[in-house]
Amino acid sequence: MKYRTDIDGLRALAVVSVILFHLGLLPNGYLGVDVFFVISGYLITSIVYHQSEKGKFSIIHFYERRIRRIIPLLLFITGVALVLGLIYMLPDDLENLSQAVVASNFSANNILMYITSSDYWAVKNEYKPLMHTWSLGIEEQFYMLYPFLFFLFKGEKIRYVKGILIVLTLLSMVAFLLQSNVAASFYFIQYRFFELSIGGLGAILFTNTTIKRYGQGRVLLYTLLALTTLIMYAPILESNTSKVLLTTMLTVGVLITGKQYFDQDRVYQAIMANPVVRFIGNISFSLYMWHQLVFAFARTAFIEEITTGWAVALSLLTLVLSVATYYGIENPFRKPQVMKTRTVLLAVGTAFVVTTGAAFYIYTIGGIVKDYPELNLYRAELGDRRNFFSGSSNIHIEYNEKVKRLDRGFSDTGKTKVLVIGNSFGRDVANVLLESALADKLEVRYFELSRVMTDDSLRIRFEEADRVILGAQGTFGKDFLESLGQAHNFTADRSKVWVFGTKDFGFSNGIHYNNITDETNFVTYRTKMKAHGPRRNRELQEEWGDRYIDILAKLANDEGEILVFTPEGKFMSQDTEHLTKSGAEYIARLFEPELTEILGTDPETNPQ
């Protein structure tokens, strides 16, 4: 194949768009990944189709090329991420990073992201150094299956490949359009296959196509390129489905049309194959692999907000690191004349075992590699305990999860019966009550929010309870009690119901962990809350009035900044959303007068 210099330009457009997106500067920049998918399908198919046509396709050679191209840099990046995580991350984040290292090494981070972070656009993902390897997972899963099609239908049988690819492409596209789960359609190969295979069909069906009217072909090419850029850089479309489909179609159109013009049209060459653009395109894989790692650790350890100046500085750092790995890792491993296959496999195998093994071990100990006094986590106290794919017994969520044991009926203890209804935030409420000075006088019971409209035992507990507290971070609207009564055919007594306020401890604990010193004043140390926290707090205040327990009133100031630590220097939350034991104890002390007034000590006392 003749080297397509304009494809370097497309790669440059794609990677710059993704980088700008992760800097928060380009809302549609994530579509650069879709451009990469189409390019990959086009180039891979261009090679293997013609090899199969001549009966020369080797599946072993194919996998060797893919290993050389992708795996060395991937393993290097996951290794660097793990080392930086050991230095800068708190245990919960380090545990999550370790999961991502293992998943990325096994080409499955797209699956892990679906399970743990379904919303790709969520703020939390900005702090995940390996979040972006989800796309590599899809490409590598594609590479695992795709070559067998050409291996089985090589030689004269190659004529069947077009029809099979068309059918598979249509099936994938229909599945993408019909899938209502946005996260599934975003992360799973079956819904992304059509983007790669459309690139492949473009390579097969238009191999020898020539545009006879040269001038009109140029206009078509420039129009396709302009529209591709416009969709990524301007908010002209709202639907993600429309954005993905159009970007896919336009990109394959540029690849097909540009084949005739990339070495003939000087204007097209100036745009898509000038030295700067080609260089960015050449190092685009390194740029893609480094940028999120750099941005995430900068946010975790050094800066709370990436300003324009920081965006420039971090982009330059990404560029320098990318140049280093392009010449130091990508090129040597990619070239058989520089590095023999045996050497490549030995290096890759060793790196895989070391990074995967180390990450898995760190995951099993919950990321607690040393003492973290700020979280009351001490390595010696861990003992032989392991996290092996644990759910409710996970070290970092067990304090919250153990409240589920209280999901049962009341007994006749003579204590004030308090029913907490909610989800994990409701379990925070229960922990505040259990840590309060009133705990010995309360019989606290919990009911899982997901069952409130279907499990009739709620009616019995609600009627038996002396007090009912709702806690689900803003889920409960004005009509909640009415809906509850309709679902279970009873009148929900509003006079004994309160709502526990929303809380929000900022974006990441990492920045605080890495910046506190012996001189830090924990009584005044604050961080900026996420925008929706104060907004939702105001809405709940208006909805529930004097039935609302306003947590932010005592923890936050008028500037939207909230306390992070207890006065003793302990984190109030391990994940910026749910309470630690220290956090629950502190809030219980802080709101003791309010809780005493609401709950009282005598179950016969009517709430005021």
Side-chain angles (χ1 to χ4, degrees), residues 38-70:
V38 178
I39 292 173
S40 294
Y42 182 87
L43 291 177
I44 290 297
T45 308
S46 297
I47 296 170
V48 300
Y49 181 81
H50 296 298
Q51 288 178 343
S52 298
E53 199 173 29
K54 298 175 183 179
K56 295 181 178 180
F57 176 63
S58 166
I59 203 164
I60 294 176
H61 182 60
F62 174 86
Y63 285 128
E64 180 191 341
R65 285 173 58 89
R66 291 299 88 203
I67 288 172
R68 285 178 175 272
R69 180 72 180 92
I70 296 173

Side-chain angles (χ1 to χ4, degrees), residues 6 151 206 211 272 336 344 434 436 451 481 507 541 550 556:
D6 62 324
F151 179 75
F206 297 91
I211 300 173
M272 300 296 285
V344 170
L434 295 170
S436 72
R451 306 192 336 265
L481 293 181
F507 297 91
Q541 284 175 326
D550 190 348

Side-chain angles (χ1 to χ4, degrees), residues 240-364:
N240 178 65
T241 300
S242 300
K243 294 174 189 176
V244 169
L245 288 175
L246 279 175
T247 301
T248 300
M249 297 302 181
L250 291 169
T251 302
V252 76
V254 171
L255 288 168
I256 293 169
T257 312
K259 183 177 181 181
Q260 184 171 336
Y261 293 90
F262 80 94
D263 59 351
Q264 298 181 34
D265 189 294
R266 291 185 178 180
V267 176
Y268 186 56
Q269 288 177 334
I271 297 171
M272 300 296 285
N274 66 71
V276 174
V277 167
R278 284 198 62 190
F279 181 71
I280 294 172
N282 282 330
I283 66 170
S284 59
F285 183 39
S286 278
L287 285 169
Y288 185 80
M289 293 303 295
W290 273 113
H291 81 280
Q292 176 60 17
L293 182 147
V294 170
F295 299 166
F297 275 110
R299 289 182 171 109
T300 295
F302 304 110
I303 52 176
E304 288 199 69
E305 182 180 356
I306 296 182
T307 61
T308 302
W310 273 113
V312 172
L314 295 175
S315 297
L316 288 174
L317 175 60
T318 300
L319 179 63
V320 171
L321 293 171
S322 299
V323 171
T325 53
Y326 175 71
Y327 289 107
I329 295 176
E330 283 194 72
N331 275 353
F333 275 91
R334 190 165 50 188
K335 297 176 180 178
Q337 62 270 31
V338 175
M339 195 170 292
K340 295 180 179 179
T341 301
R342 180 181 298 178
T343 306
V344 170
L345 294 178
L346 179 61
V348 166
T350 302
F352 178 86
V353 170
V354 170
T355 55
T356 305
F360 185 72
Y361 171 74
I362 293 169
Y363 163 73
T364 64

Side-chain angles (χ1 to χ4, degrees), residues 1 104 169 174 190 229 263 348 363 400 453 509-511 569 601:
M1 289 179 57
S104 297
T169 300
V174 169
Q190 60 266 37
T229 307
D263 59 351
V348 166
Y363 163 73
N400 186 281
M453 297 301 174
N509 280 339
I511 190 72
T601 58

Side-chain angles (χ1 to χ4, degrees), residues 425-490:
F425 299 107
R427 297 194 285 278
D428 276 343
V429 177
N431 276 327
V432 169
L433 299 178
L434 295 170
E435 302 293 353
S436 72
L438 300 174
D440 291 340
K441 301 176 182 180
L442 306 176
E443 184 181 10
V444 179
R445 291 293 179 259
Y446 169 74
F447 202 96
E448 186 66 37
L449 181 62
S450 60
R451 306 192 336 265
V452 295
M453 297 301 174
T454 58
D455 189 340
D456 200 48
S457 66
L458 174 65
R459 177 183 58 82
I460 300 171
R461 291 191 221 174
F462 195 103
E463 292 179 337
E464 290 181 349
D466 299 303
R467 313 287 187 267
V468 177
I469 301 181
L470 310 179
Q473 202 78 332
T475 301
F476 303 107
K478 292 179 181 178
D479 60 347
F480 175 75
L481 293 181
E482 182 180 347
S483 300
L484 203 63
Q486 291 174 351
H488 300 290
N489 194 28
F490 82 114

